[in-house]
Amino acid sequence: KNFLCGMVQNEHLEHCEAYGLDAARAIFFPHGGPVPLANQRPSAERDIDILFAGNVQTVPDFKTWLKTKFPKSDQLREVLLGIEQRLYATNAQPFSTVLGALKAAGIEITPALLAQMYTPLERFLINRERTNVLSAIQKHSLTVIGDISKEIIEANPQHKFLGPRTYGEVMDAMARAKVSLNIVPTVRSGGHERMFYSLAAGALLVTDQNEFLQDDETSNPFVNFLPDDLEKLDAMLEFWLDDDGVLDKTRAEAVAHYAQRHTWVQRLEPVLEFLNEHYWTHKTP
């Protein structure tokens, strides 16, 4: 009875009872980032044009993947195949979409089923989107840190693949990057730390469509969503990379905007308020 569960995105908070949590003891707790670096490099001193830090594995087409993952679950495969295109939409909320489809099909939703089904599905969606984004960038060289499938490396000779690196090396790379990519299509109503650590380091952020960041996308020039049509991504990147001065003009403003909204300090405030109200304040019976 003595717990508080933080949910990375609002979508999960809305459905937390589906996987066995008490909604009264759950709170929205997206990732945040550190205080900004005191000394921000100008663009001319940043030797990495575009950075992506994350793992990417090759995946087959969805129907083949479903047969491999759920060979004995005909109904589950049919339900997931029926919502395939909805899962790929740039404004998709995959977890809610899956829950709705399962309910409509009369499939009992249990924590065990969600653990067995949604975890590999989420990884499939992430790998698929990351592969598509990496392949869409043809006119610029992307520096990629992480465990990447051999097939993806061979298919994208225009990029520089460094393999896995330590946390410290990734943080250093963010401070040397002009643009940083965040590709997590299953987190569209919350925050992944990759976004905020990039902003703290003064790198322009390009990320998935995200309800949580909609206000920032309109008010912070360093927060930008991937285009619906990935064929437009190269032109989008070219605008920021052709002239170092473009980013330099707004970097200080953008970093200050981030610092007011998305550091771990701001993230902890509602958590501390909840703990104080429910656990720490002595109440006389």
Side-chain angles (χ1 to χ4, degrees), residues 11-139:
E11 184 195 15
H12 291 169
L13 185 63
E14 293 168 8
H15 302 293
C16 63
E17 291 183 337
Y19 39 95
L21 290 172
D22 180 358
R25 297 175 185 271
I27 191 171
F28 181 44
F29 186 55
H31 292 177
V35 296
L37 291 178
N39 298 314
Q40 295 283 345
R41 288 184 176 95
S43 294
E45 296 178 13
R46 293 174 180 254
D47 60 307
I48 298 175
D49 278 349
I50 312 166
L51 173 70
F52 174 68
N55 302 321
V56 192
Q57 301 302 311
T58 303
V59 291
D61 67 89
F62 194 49
K63 188 173 184 179
T64 300
W65 181 83
L66 286 172
K67 288 182 179 179
T68 301
K69 281 294 177 182
F70 310 111
K72 299 179 180 180
S73 304
D74 294 349
Q75 186 183 19
L76 180 59
R77 291 200 312 272
E78 182 181 353
V79 168
L80 294 177
L81 193 60
I83 59 173
E84 178 182 8
Q85 295 307 314
R86 291 165 57 193
L87 292 173
Y88 298 159
T90 56
N91 62 347
Q93 296 288 353
F95 192 69
S96 299
T97 301
V98 169
L99 287 185
L102 293 174
K103 185 177 180 180
I107 297 176
E108 182 183 4
I109 299 172
T110 66
L113 172 66
L114 294 177
Q116 175 200 14
M117 176 271 300
Y118 192 74
T119 300
L121 174 62
E122 180 174 37
R123 180 49 52 184
F124 172 89
L125 295 172
I126 291 172
N127 279 324
R128 177 187 177 277
E129 183 70 5
R130 289 180 177 177
T131 301
N132 288 345
V133 172
L134 265 60
S135 299
I137 301 174
Q138 293 289 327
K139 298 180 180 179

Side-chain angles (χ1 to χ4, degrees), residues 227-239:
D228 291 343
D229 182 358
L230 289 179
E231 290 186 2
K232 298 179 180 178
L233 183 53
D234 263 327
M236 183 178 176
L237 293 167
E238 190 172 348
F239 172 77

Side-chain angles (χ1 to χ4, degrees), residues 139-157:
K139 298 180 180 179
H140 303 277
S141 180
L142 186 63
T143 297
V144 182
I145 294 177
D147 183 13
I148 314 297
S149 289
K150 180 181 178 182
E151 297 87 349
I152 296 173
I153 295 174
E154 292 176 347
N156 293 279

